[in-house]
Every structure is written in structure tokens, then in C-alpha cells.
Amino acid sequence: MLRRSTPEHLSGVLDAIEASLPELGRWLPFALRMPTEAEEMQVLADAQIAFDGDIDWMYTMFDQSAEVVGSAALHCRPESCCAEIGYWVRTDRTGRGYATSATRMLVDAAFGYLLPINWVEIRMDNANLASAAIPRKLGFVLDRHVDRPVQTSGHTGRGMIWKLTRERWDRRRSG
Ligand SMILES: CC(C)(COP(=O)(O)OP(=O)(O)OC[C@H]1O[C@@H](n2cnc3c(N)ncnc32)[C@H](O)[C@@H]1OP(=O)(O)O)[C@@H](O)C(=O)NCCC(=O)NCCS
């Protein structure tokens, strides 16, 4: 289940980050060290303001037992008619389809509610094969490889940009 992120999720989110720090820190700069309570509280408060302002939509992922198992976000870039999706999943809950389900929901939300959006992108390092498996499964097309800054131990300096157009999404939904 995805719920919009709020400061109420603080302890669950911190637990999930702490339990996953080596894996998250390999790819995500925010997890190079354990964020403090105050830092994470600020992230969640900012996310709530951005959500209310219809600027950016960050969700906390919960499993059936209502435990926090990750996060997924939809970032809108209206100047380029594009939305971007990002995600992470608690290490002991990976491989269960959570990131794929969350991404599918955010793609539907982007095309369903963000009318100027013509395509959705997902970006990751060339070496992040688990992350690349998600857009591939959902019918995204590998659009291009780009140079990227090396910010974590897993980064290679090259990244992939996967793209799903509204037209392709419409075609896949209709059959
Ligand atoms: C990437 C990540 C979000 C995946 O979350 P998840 O809930 O395990 O994802 P799913 O279960 O929906 O799908 C994962 C897919 O990756 C595949 N996969 C996992 N490791 C892989 C690897 N080393 N090589 C190729 N595919 C791999 C799995 O087999 C699965 O595909 P399948 O369902 O066809 O078998 C999670 O591993 C994570 O949080 N990683 C650290 C943070 C991160 O990299 N975030 C993304 C930054 S761009």
C-alpha cells in the first residue's frame, strides 16, 4: 500500500533505512550515512508541503502488517512534459514485487492525473540491475545512456534512462 509521506511515518522510515543502509548507500546519496531523526523529519515535512502544493508526490510503502517497507516518489517536470519515478525498498523485503507494484501505480497516476505529461522516465546507474529490472518489466523502453556524477560506491559514472510514453501506456492498457 502506498500512503502519502508525512512526518507521522518517521519512526517506520528510519527503521527501514537503518535495516537497509549498506544496500541503499550503494546507490542513493541520502543513505551514505544514517540520516538523523531531525534530517528525516525535514524530508517528510518537505514532502508533505510539496504534495499539498501539487509539485511532487512522495509515498511511503507499507506491507500487509502496516510496516514501512520503502518509499516511492513521482516527480513532475512539466517544462519537459515528463514525470520521473524513484524508489527504494527495505532490504529484507526485496524480491517480492513491491517496487514494481508501486511503480505501476505511480505510472497510472502520472498518466491519469498529470495531463501535460507525455512520458514517464526512470533513471539509474548502469550497474544497478535490480532497479533496471523494474521499468523493463513494466514495458518501458531503454531510451539512452548518459554520463552521471559518481556519488556512491556503486556508481559507475554512466546511467540508463528508461522511458514509457503515454501512447505506449495507452496501447498496453487496451490490450
Ligand atoms: C531496486 C529495488 C528498489 C528493487 O525493489 P524490489 O521490491 O526488490 O523490486 P521487485 O521485487 O519489484 O523487482 C525486482 C526485480 O529485480 C530483479 N533483480 C534483482 N537483483 C537483480 C540483479 N542483480 N540483476 C538482475 N535483476 C535483478 C529481480 O529478479 C526482480 O525481477 P523479477 O520479478 O522479474 O524476478 C531495491 O532492490 C532497492 O531498494 N535497492 C536499493 C536502492 C535502489 O537501488 N533504488 C533505486 C535507485 S535508481
Side-chain angles (χ1 to χ4, degrees), residues 5-43:
S5 294
T6 78
E8 285 168 28
H9 300 161
L10 180 65
S11 70
V13 170
L14 282 173
D15 281 353
I17 295 173
E18 194 168 17
S20 316
L21 206 60
E23 294 78 15
L24 299 186
R26 192 163 167 226
W27 305 112
L28 299 171
F30 85 82
L32 283 172
R33 61 166 175 79
M34 186 62 202
T36 65
E37 217 173 288
E39 286 167 344
E40 197 54 34
M41 176 62 100
Q42 192 62 55
V43 169

Side-chain angles (χ1 to χ4, degrees), residues 115-157:
L115 294 180
I117 291 303
N118 289 332
W119 76 89
V120 175
E121 282 183 5
I122 302 181
R123 297 166 177 237
M124 76 287 299
D125 191 273
N126 270 0
N128 195 344
L129 300 179
S131 181
I134 289 149
R136 185 179 289 118
K137 277 194 279 183
L138 293 174
F140 283 63
V141 171
L142 179 57
D143 187 55
R144 61 195 186 278
H145 291 270
V146 291
D147 289 332
R148 288 162 45 110
V150 174
Q151 294 174 301
T152 67
S153 63
H155 286 171
T156 61

Side-chain angles (χ1 to χ4, degrees), residues 1-18 30 34-49 51 57-63 66-72 88 90:
M1 181 184 288
L2 293 183
R3 297 204 183 110
R4 55 176 299 185
S5 294
T6 78
E8 285 168 28
H9 300 161
L10 180 65
S11 70
V13 170
L14 282 173
D15 281 353
I17 295 173
E18 194 168 17
F30 85 82
M34 186 62 202
T36 65
E37 217 173 288
E39 286 167 344
E40 197 54 34
M41 176 62 100
Q42 192 62 55
V43 169
L44 294 169
D46 289 346
Q48 194 171 31
I49 291 168
F51 200 113
W57 300 269
M58 186 164 126
Y59 295 86
T60 308
M61 255 184 244
F62 294 85
D63 67 5
E67 191 173 7
V68 172
V69 294
S71 175
W88 60 264
R90 188 182 160 120

